Amino acid sequence: MKAYWIAQVDIEDPEAYAQYTSRAPQAIALYGGRFLARGGRSVALEGRDTPERSVVIEFDSYDQALACYHSPEYQQACRYRTGVARVEIVILEGL
């Protein structure tokens, strides 16, 4: 069953955040992740304000999605976004 990362991101330092975005896709690809949405237009119809950036990544399974997040490769990339972006990530199992 597919699973999805849903990330909401507000970037405080775009130049420093670019270090994360140059590394994270390779780590995500190692676990079969495929970007379905990455930035682009969005609008908040209910709830909190729209974050600066929304990202949706599809994985073949919930376990793969979790493994990717906890992997050394992805956690190494995450070090480059610490302190330069506010990030919320939810892993959602598909239907």
Side-chain angles (χ1 to χ4, degrees), residues 21-61:
T21 60
S22 70
R23 291 169 170 80
Q26 292 87 351
I28 291 165
L30 285 174
Y31 291 83
R34 294 168 299 284
F35 286 88
L36 301 181
R38 191 174 184 191
R41 296 189 313 166
S42 65
V43 61
L45 300 175
E46 295 186 33
R48 74 179 189 101
D49 291 339
T50 302
E52 183 175 338
R53 186 175 178 87
S54 296
V55 179
V56 179
I57 304 169
E58 180 182 65
F59 290 86
D60 289 334
S61 72

